[in-house]
């Protein structure tokens, strides 16, 4: 997201993530992340967009060490909750 854009539409975000290789960068969690994101069907914020790569770098295989009190965007807290609900954390 560049300039004054504050959101990226749902479909555009999925396409862009595919193009930058997120499924291969984050193979262990990408299927669950995609399921979570598809269920939300909401635009992605600029903050979340910018933090996805650092998030996947910090949690490459699972979210066992995820701290909900850390300063990640709420979107990632919701993803953690989604995984807990599915018993995949």
């Amino acid at each position: 997201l560049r300039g004054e854009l504050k959101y990226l539409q749902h479909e555009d975000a999925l396409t862009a993530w595919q193009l930058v290789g997120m499924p291969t960068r984050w193979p262990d969690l990408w299927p669950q992340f995609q399921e979570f994101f598809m269920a939300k069907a909401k635009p992605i914020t600029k903050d979340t967009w910018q933090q996805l790569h650092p998030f996947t770098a910090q949690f490459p295989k699972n979210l066992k060490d995820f701290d909900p009190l850390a300063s990640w965007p709420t979107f990632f807290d919701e993803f953690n909750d989604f995984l807990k609900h599915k018993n995949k954390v």
Side-chain angles (χ1 to χ4, degrees):
L1 291 170
R2 295 177 189 227
E4 295 183 24
L5 287 177
K6 294 185 182 192
Y7 296 94
L8 187 61
Q9 292 303 315
H10 185 258
E11 298 81 13
D12 296 336
L14 286 175
T15 300
W17 283 326
Q18 295 287 337
L19 290 172
V20 299
M22 285 309 300
T24 48
R25 285 186 191 177
W26 211 26
D28 296 323
L29 289 174
W30 182 253
Q32 293 84 14
F33 181 81
Q34 193 168 3
E35 179 184 351
F36 164 73
F37 188 65
M38 297 284 286
K40 288 186 74 64
K42 294 166 82 174
I44 194 81
T45 66
K46 186 174 188 173
D47 186 38
T48 300
W49 177 264
Q50 293 174 332
Q51 292 297 314
L52 183 61
H53 189 282
F55 184 81
T56 61
Q58 185 164 343
F59 304 103
K61 299 206 177 275
N62 60 57
L63 300 186
K64 289 181 181 171
D65 295 327
F66 179 79
D67 179 1
L69 299 177
S71 60
W72 294 107
T74 303
F75 182 86
F76 298 118
D77 295 328
E78 293 170 354
F79 179 51
N80 185 53
D81 291 343
F82 173 81
L83 290 177
K84 282 183 179 178
H85 181 25
K86 291 188 68 120
N87 294 319
K88 295 202 178 204
V89 171

